[in-house]
Amino acid sequence: MKKINEFFSHVNDKYRNHIVLAMFLFVCVFMYGMSNDEVVIPQPVASETSEDAIEFSDDSLSQEALAKTEPVVEAKKVHAYLLKIGDDFVVALKDEKDLKEALDYAKSKYLNVDADTADIALVKDERNPLVISPVLKLNKAVEKKVLRTSTGEQVGGTDFVEYPEVQWPEPEAIQEEIIVDAHFATDVIVVEAYVDEDEIEDVKTAKELITKENEKEKKYVVEPGDYPEVIAQKNEMPTEKLYDLNPGLRERDSYIQIGEELTVMVPEPELSVALTEELVYDEPIDFETDYEPNPDKYVGHETVKSEGIPGVKRVTASVEMINGSEVSREIISEETITEPVNQVVLRGSKPLPSRGATGVFISPLESYVVTSPYGYRWGRLHKGIDISAGYGATVMASDGGVVTFAGWSGSYGNTVIIDHGDGCTTRYAHNSELLVSAGQYVSQYEAIALLGSTGNSTGPHVHFEIMFDGVTVDPANYVNF
Ligand SMILES: [Zn+2]
């Protein structure tokens, strides 16, 4: 105020009123400017609970406001491109060339098809030219069809994984693969700004930061043709890790159900690329089974009259992939190429004889080849006769009686023992499947098992024994083999 008074003392009274008015106007304009800048001056607020009755409403804001009013000598700022990915990732790059190179690197890594499929365009915001949106644009590849052979071998494009030990249905035979769309699945934006020089990353570091992957557990739904190695490869993880994450998987790896959920580790990079493909592929159509009665066979005997043939349908599906992993599949259309041919099974309709022993034995197989007779071989007694037929053929009760054992019996494999009374029993070994259980009464000719090769056995056959008081006899003396 002293200075102002001095100032006034130097001016004429004549102009004093003008100067006072001018100063008043200046203060008004200054205050108006402050309010426009939205500088918030912290207001003391009353606290209802605290003894300290006065608090500032927002401490950080008051400091920010303070910082604005006090000029600070700042470090040298340089122009940069701030690449923001998602909510919490920012990297500063020195120029557009580095920015493009870093984005291109991530694109090539996650597109999972030819890198030429899509290019990155840097689109400037219409309202704010300092804001740039990197956009993926499909190239000529939109028209490009990636053809694969029916075995899944690919002519070009993504790597094909060969499936070991694949059971029906076969892996999809892909006929056409058309890329329909590609875009960044994460919010990506670039802002031009001035930053401290040392905040700028070189392009190599930026590439590493963008593609740095944090692993995350995810559920994977088993698809036709999947096998632990394939699932691991699809999810870019070691097979060992898949086994670790899914207890019990190692023991049953041949029996993974389609549609079953497994836990996998998926890399979660900062930047995600989504790709939509239209796929045309062939899938099998399951055949059904027709049954025909067969009066020549006993009830319970089934034989295949004619084999079924699966049909083929051509499926068009829209598949969305994120960083190369399928996230959704929508079937657009299905067209039957060949109808399936139903298998025809003959079902025995002849009534079984009444239960109980007849005292006469029949061969447990209807048609067979004797592969090893009863007697000594290599110095040991072969206690039964081996007769062979096709895998799954019906094994019949040699005579009526009661089942005393039906189950696994060491080197005999799946075994049935029938007691025919008067100390006479018969044994049927190496079956693939048992059709009876202990305590069950069976008739002669009744189907008791399906032929197999379980236990100590080579090739499908039934090892058939006849015993009297537990002592084996040569079945050929009782049955005309
Ligand atoms: Zn044998």
Side-chain angles (χ1 to χ4, degrees):
M1 263 339 212
K2 195 185 161 206
K3 278 196 170 175
I4 295 172
N5 286 337
E6 275 173 16
F7 174 70
F8 282 128
S9 68
H10 289 285
V11 293
N12 289 334
D13 282 353
K14 188 179 165 187
Y15 295 112
R16 191 167 291 173
N17 285 344
H18 290 92
I19 290 161
V20 168
L21 183 67
M23 282 184 75
F24 174 70
L25 285 171
F26 174 77
V27 169
C28 286
V29 167
F30 177 71
M31 287 185 75
Y32 176 73
M34 290 263 286
S35 67
N36 248 16
D37 270 348
E38 290 177 14
V39 173
V40 178
I41 294 157
Q43 299 294 315
V45 291
S47 165
E48 286 169 10
T49 51
S50 171
E51 289 296 313
D52 313 323
I54 295 171
E55 278 181 352
F56 283 113
S57 59
D58 188 337
D59 243 2
S60 64
L61 203 58
S62 68
Q63 274 166 21
E64 204 184 322
L66 208 65
K68 276 198 176 182
T69 56
E70 280 179 39
V72 183
V73 181
E74 283 178 348
K76 194 193 166 200
K77 298 272 190 185
V78 289
H79 181 263
Y81 288 86
L82 296 180
L83 171 61
K84 299 185 174 188
I85 302 172
D87 294 329
D88 51 10
F89 179 87
V90 181
V91 64
L93 289 143
K94 79 169 186 294
D95 55 25
E96 211 176 294
K97 186 183 149 282
D98 278 8
L99 170 69
K100 215 77 200 277
E101 194 179 330
L103 282 170
D104 260 328
Y105 177 79
K107 178 207 76 176
S108 305
K109 187 163 178 183
Y110 299 126
L111 201 57
N112 262 57
V113 286
D114 242 347
D116 295 346
T117 306
D119 277 339
I120 295 170
L122 297 176
V123 181
K124 290 211 173 188
D125 194 296
E126 278 176 18
R127 288 164 302 172
N128 188 350
L130 296 181
V131 176
I132 302 163
S133 299
V135 178
L136 271 184
K137 289 207 166 137
L138 277 182
N139 255 336
K140 56 189 188 307
V142 187
E143 305 297 327
K144 193 172 109 188
K145 291 178 180 182
V146 183
L147 293 173
R148 301 194 209 191
T149 67
S150 59
T151 56
E153 197 184 319
Q154 218 176 311
V155 179
T158 54
D159 296 334
F160 172 71
V161 180
E162 199 158 350
Y163 303 88
E165 271 187 52
V166 168
Q167 306 292 317
W168 190 262
E170 287 177 353
E172 302 145 0
I174 293 178
Q175 306 296 323
E176 263 179 39
E177 184 180 4
I178 306 164
I179 293 139
V180 188
D181 174 61
H183 63 269
F184 288 120
T186 328
D187 287 336
V188 189
I189 203 151
V190 178
V191 181
E192 281 185 64
Y194 285 86
V195 298
D196 289 348
E197 203 162 9
D198 61 359
E199 284 177 41
I200 294 187
E201 303 288 356
D202 62 88
V203 72
K204 186 171 170 281
T205 312
K207 284 178 186 174
E208 279 166 14
L209 290 172
I210 297 168
T211 57
K212 190 175 148 272
E213 291 168 352
N214 311 306
E215 289 206 315
K216 204 177 168 187
E217 276 190 25
K218 203 185 113 181
K219 290 287 168 204
Y220 174 84
V221 180
V222 175
E223 293 170 9
D226 274 351
Y227 191 75
E229 280 75 10
V230 175
I231 297 168
Q233 217 152 355
K234 279 184 183 173
N235 292 287
E236 292 176 34
M237 61 192 284
T239 311
E240 280 305 308
K241 192 146 198 180
L242 182 72
Y243 285 133
D244 290 348
L245 288 169
N246 297 276
L249 179 66
R250 191 189 302 276
E251 290 72 34
R252 60 180 184 99
D253 61 13
S254 306
Y255 303 97
I256 300 173
Q257 297 286 323
I258 292 165
E260 180 184 337
E261 279 194 349
L262 293 176
T263 304
V264 294
M265 281 308 235
V266 287
E268 281 249 312
E270 297 294 351
L271 187 65
S272 295
V273 174
L275 194 72
T276 308
E277 284 184 315
E278 203 173 284
L279 287 184
V280 179
Y281 54 92
D282 291 348
E283 246 185 20
I285 309 171
D286 283 347
F287 57 78
E288 286 171 16
T289 303
D290 292 332
Y291 293 97
E292 285 180 11
N294 181 3
D296 297 336
K297 300 259 182 168
Y298 287 104
V299 168
H301 291 228
E302 288 189 353
T303 43
V304 175
K305 186 186 173 191
S306 60
E307 298 281 353
I309 304 164
V312 177
K313 61 182 172 185
R314 186 149 291 182
V315 182
T316 304
S318 175
V319 177
E320 204 197 341
M321 323 258 274
I322 289 189
N323 293 353
S325 299
E326 182 170 331
V327 289
S328 74
R329 177 171 296 222
E330 189 196 333
I331 307 294
I332 299 166
S333 67
E334 281 185 347
E335 180 201 342
T336 301
I337 295 175
T338 53
E339 294 283 356
V341 177
N342 290 356
Q343 83 168 343
V344 180
V345 167
L346 294 175
R347 249 180 189 170
S349 57
K350 189 161 116 182
L352 285 164
S354 57
R355 285 174 178 145
T358 61
V360 176
F361 294 100
I362 60 147
S363 165
L365 293 177
E366 196 179 31
S367 52
Y368 53 86
V369 177
V370 175
T371 52
S372 185
Y374 178 91
Y376 283 90
R377 61 178 183 193
W378 305 303
R380 286 184 65 202
L381 179 64
H382 182 229
K383 291 177 173 179
I385 188 168
D386 291 348
I387 53 175
S388 177
Y391 191 91
T394 304
V395 177
M396 303 179 284
S398 183
D399 195 7
V402 61
V403 176
T404 55
F405 179 85
W408 184 265
S409 178
S411 60
Y412 284 121
N414 289 322
T415 300
V416 175
I417 297 172
I418 300 170
D419 185 349
H420 306 284
D422 294 328
C424 175
T425 54
T426 48
R427 186 198 307 266
Y428 315 78
H430 310 307
N431 303 294
S432 60
E433 206 178 303
L434 301 180
L435 306 176
V436 291
S437 49
Q440 186 178 334
Y441 283 85
V442 291
S443 304
Q444 193 176 39
Y445 295 104
E446 190 160 342
I448 55 166
L450 299 181
L451 194 72
S453 187
T454 56
N456 186 9
S457 164
T458 47
H461 76 280
V462 59
H463 168 94
F464 174 57
E465 291 177 10
I466 299 177
M467 289 166 280
F468 290 100
D469 294 326
V471 179
T472 57
V473 293
D474 185 354
N477 293 339
Y478 299 85
V479 180
N480 189 20
F481 283 108

